Amino acid sequence: MSLGQRVSSDHQLARLLQIGVVLEEVVEARAYRHLDSLSASERADLDDEIVELLEHAAEESEEHRERLAGLVEELDADTVAYEEIETLVEARYGQTSPDDFDGVLYDALCNEETAYKFYDDLIEAVEASDADYALDRDRLLDTLRSIREEEAEGVEEVTEIMERRE
Amino acid sequence: MNTGEQYLKAIYLAQRIEDGPAATGTLADMLDVSPASVNEMIGKLEERGLADHEKYKGVTLTDEGIAMAEDALQTYCIIERFLANVLEVEDFRGEARALESVIDDTVAERLDTIIDRRDECPDCFDAEADKCEYLEPIVDAD
């Protein structure tokens, strides 16, 4: 058991980045699922800003996923084919879909907050380690910090919409 | 999962294995830390009302400690299942132990949406085998 947060090897780093890839995939799938799951009348009632928010969340997650996958490739780690994970996520995400607009917004907020927390913990764990990774540490941290920043902006964006709707 | 939660989980599992209070030596072995570190953390858990320590007998979790340990064990089970069945990791136990300190319970909740976990979790966690008794890895090293 490893007490304290630190990423001590390429293998461990690759695994954590893979978890990030899957988290982003879950966010992307849930955002699209929320849009698809609404009935025609619900969609008509849906504010444009919420539609835009979900579409933006999905696009941003896809972009984050690609950036993370690029880092994983440089680490020469065994990875499961992305298509396999995509299939699995698509088969599962419908099980926990929210059933109203506020639920959709709340879920979007949870997604952004969870992703922020994940990157924040990962950055802290990389910073706490003095391991030499196969990829450049500064570039790794820059990438993770920039993704974390976008997640923080996402939290703000959803929070503002929620406050306006109250 | 923070260090305190990792200790609570270890005490919970040690109590199950030993069918009584968890010996500090057992905890030191499980957590790969010194007995002094174990004693220090047990003191902190006692102060928070999460555990009781009786000299020469060992540590017992309070009801509140058990509830927190069960949450931590659920998070651990999610990480093991995710590694074993989504990422197809052969050494899912070893990797779960290495990663648990970096995976927050909110992150585990998201990962939980794409794995199968039984309602009785964590009662079905096999402390000796260090995995859920129903977990069937895609790649099994055993």
Side-chain angles (χ1 to χ4, degrees):
Chain A
M1 193 176 291
S2 164
L3 289 174
Q5 296 192 353
R6 100 169 40 95
V7 185
S8 53
S9 67
D10 273 12
H11 186 82
Q12 212 179 335
L13 175 61
R15 196 64 82 204
L16 286 160
L17 292 171
Q18 277 185 299
I19 291 174
V21 169
V22 177
L23 273 180
E24 295 290 357
E25 169 64 12
V26 171
V27 171
E28 190 183 330
R30 288 173 80 92
Y32 281 129
R33 163 79 186 177
H34 295 337
L35 282 172
D36 291 345
S37 66
L38 297 168
S39 68
S41 63
E42 282 175 325
R43 276 189 83 106
D45 289 343
L46 201 61
D47 294 339
D48 286 347
E49 65 177 355
I50 298 180
V51 174
E52 271 171 32
L53 176 86
L54 293 176
E55 284 174 353
H56 175 67
E59 284 163 14
E60 192 170 87
S61 285
E62 186 181 355
E63 194 246 325
H64 289 173
R65 180 163 55 71
E66 283 165 4
R67 291 166 76 183
L68 294 173
L71 294 174
V72 174
E73 271 174 29
E74 289 182 52
L75 288 166
D76 190 27
D78 288 336
T79 55
V80 173
Y82 169 68
E83 291 71 24
E84 271 187 53
I85 292 172
E86 189 180 29
T87 307
L88 185 71
V89 172
E90 280 182 4
R92 303 289 174 104
Y93 64 71
Q95 293 172 359
T96 52
S97 191
D99 52 13
D100 59 34
F101 298 161
D102 290 333
V104 168
L105 280 175
Y106 183 71
D107 194 69
L109 182 64
C110 283
N111 282 336
E112 304 283 355
E113 284 179 339
T114 303
Y116 179 88
K117 177 72 180 144
F118 174 76
Y119 294 114
D120 198 46
D121 287 344
L122 181 51
I123 289 164
E124 193 183 320
V126 170
E127 285 172 339
S129 170
D130 52 10
D132 277 326
Y133 306 119
L135 56 81
D136 181 68
R137 169 186 287 266
D138 288 340
R139 193 159 53 81
L140 168 69
L141 284 170
D142 285 348
T143 304
L144 294 175
R145 286 180 187 134
S146 111
I147 294 177
R148 178 181 62 179
E149 183 59 31
E150 288 177 3
E151 302 297 352
E153 287 165 10
V155 171
E156 267 180 45
E157 208 178 326
V158 184
T159 308
E160 279 170 20
I161 294 177
M162 287 174 103
E163 282 171 358
R164 273 204 297 278
R165 288 173 61 85
E166 274 178 3
Chain B
M1 196 185 300
N2 62 35
T3 309
E5 288 165 335
Q6 287 179 265
Y7 267 92
L8 290 171
K9 176 165 70 67
I11 297 167
Y12 180 88
L13 292 174
Q15 277 192 252
R16 271 206 204 167
I17 292 170
E18 296 178 0
D19 197 19
T24 50
T26 305
L27 295 173
D29 288 344
M30 285 173 83
L31 295 158
D32 196 20
V33 293
S34 68
S37 300
V38 173
N39 283 328
E40 189 185 343
M41 179 55 87
I42 287 171
K44 289 181 185 169
L45 296 176
E46 273 193 301
E47 280 171 23
R48 292 168 59 194
L50 301 173
D52 292 317
H53 184 216
E54 203 173 335
K55 219 172 178 182
Y56 308 117
K57 283 195 171 173
V59 194
T60 310
L61 294 177
T62 62
D63 287 348
E64 196 184 343
I66 290 171
M68 286 181 69
E70 286 180 341
D71 285 346
L73 189 53
Q74 283 191 5
T75 297
Y76 186 68
C77 181
I78 291 168
I79 297 170
E80 277 199 343
R81 282 182 169 274
F82 178 78
L83 290 171
N85 294 339
V86 178
L87 299 184
E88 301 176 12
V89 175
E90 187 173 305
D91 179 23
F92 62 90
R93 296 177 184 85
E95 291 206 17
R97 284 196 293 271
L99 297 179
E100 65 178 347
S101 64
V102 193
I103 306 290
D104 183 74
D105 56 350
T106 58
V107 173
E109 263 178 48
R110 272 303 185 241
L111 300 179
D112 197 26
T113 62
I114 53 168
I115 59 162
D116 279 322
R117 197 163 56 87
R118 296 172 75 106
D119 292 340
E120 62 260 47
C121 180
D123 290 346
C124 39
F125 195 89
D126 182 338
E128 305 261 9
D130 191 27
K131 73 172 188 67
C132 169
E133 63 179 288
Y134 299 109
L135 171 56
E136 289 173 12
I138 292 176
V139 182
D140 196 344
D142 295 340

